[in-house]
Amino acid sequence: MEVEEVQVVVREHLDGPWSRVPSATRVATSESVMWYGAGHQAGVKGRVLQLVANPIRRMLTRRYDVYIQTMAGANLASAVRAPVRLVIPSGNVVPAAMRAHFTAIAMQAPDNTRFVPPGMKSTLLPPPVFDLAPRAEAPSQDIPDEFLLTVFNPYDPIKGLSDLARAADEAPLPIVWCHSEATVRFEIPEELLLHDRIVHVTDASPEQLRYLYERCAAYFSLSLSEGFGWSTADALRYSQAVVTRAVGVFSNPAAQQPGVTLVSSPQEICWDSVLASAAPPGTRDLSLLEPSRFRARLHDIAHDADW
C-alpha cells in the first residue's frame, strides 16, 4: 500500500526481519495517544471508553476510507470513523457483539463462507503474499539432503497435529517441521518431539524458511481448516510440490496450479505421484497472490456504492 496513506495499529510490534511495515507508513500501538485504551471493553473502564471516549474520538478524528480489523488485532471499531468497515475472521467465527460494528466480513478465501453469520454481508479479499526474503540462507543445524517440509505451530487440533506422526512413519523421506516460539510457546507431544524421522527447526528466519521451501522435495499441510493459510501460500510460491487439503487459499481454484495435489486425508497421499508431479514454481500463475491485485480489490470494496 505504498501509494496510499495507511495507519497500522498493533498490539505488539515485532522488530527485525518480521516487521514488514514500510518506513513511510505511520505505525501506532494500542498504547499510542490517539488510540490509547480504545479497544478496552472490560468493567467500568471499558464501558466508559466504549460509550463515552470512543464516540468522542470518532467525531474528532479524521475520516478514513476503510477500516480493516483482524480478529486478533487491536479493536478500534467503535472509535474509528469510516464508511466501510471490514473484519477479517482469520479462521474464527465473528462474535455477535462485534458484528454491528462492521459493514462486512472480508473473507481471505472462498471457503471462509462458513465464518459468515446469517444475514451479514461478506466480500472476498485475499491478502497479498510477499517474498519471504530476498535471498535464501541455510539453517545452522543439519538438514537432510532430501526432505519433506511442513510449517505450522501446533496450537489447535485443526492444524492436523494428530496426523503428523503417521505421515512421518509412512513418508519416503524425513520431515523437516518448522515451528516458532517467537511470540508464544507451544507444547509439542513427546512422540513428535523425539520422532527419529522429524527434524525440528524452531524460529527459522525468513531467509532460512525460503531455503527450506525451495529445497524440499515437497511441502505438505495436514491442516483441517485455514482462514488463508500463509504457509501453504508460501509453498505455492517457492516449492516444487505441494500437498494440502482444499482449505484456505487452496479452496480457490486459481491456486490449484501445477505441482499441487489436493487430498481429503493423509491416507490419500501417494508420495510417488506427488514427487513425480513436481513442477517448478516459475510455471505457475501466481497472480492471485500479487499485492497489486489486493490493492485493486480493496479499492473496489472501499468505493462500492452498494454498501
Side-chain angles (χ1 to χ4, degrees), residues 161-172:
L161 185 66
S162 60
D163 292 326
L164 184 56
R166 177 172 181 171
D169 290 336
E170 299 178 354

Side-chain angles (χ1 to χ4, degrees), residues 68 88 105-110 112 123-130 227-228 230 233 248-249 251-252 254-255 287-298 301:
I68 304 176
I88 299 174
I105 289 180
M107 302 184 299
Q108 295 178 304
N112 286 185
T123 188
L124 186 61
L125 183 64
V129 179
F130 297 89
F228 179 67
W230 295 93
V249 62
S251 67
N252 187 337
S287 58
L288 79 160
L289 306 178
E290 291 299 319
S292 58
R293 176 169 290 195
F294 171 81
R295 287 194 295 269
R297 179 69 188 135
L298 183 58
I301 291 171

Side-chain angles (χ1 to χ4, degrees), residues 1 6 17-18 66 92 122 149-150 159 166 188 195 215 217 223 227 239 246 266 273 284 290:
M1 301 294 290
V6 179
W18 299 109
V66 61
N92 298 284
S122 64
L149 176 67
T150 190
K159 286 296 184 180
R166 177 172 181 171
I188 298 175
H195 198 291
R215 285 161 177 77
S223 181
S239 301
S273 175
R284 299 173 188 151
E290 291 299 319

Side-chain angles (χ1 to χ4, degrees), residues 43-55:
V44 174
K45 178 183 176 182
R47 287 195 294 273
V48 171
L49 285 164
Q50 295 297 322
L51 299 177
V52 179
N54 282 354

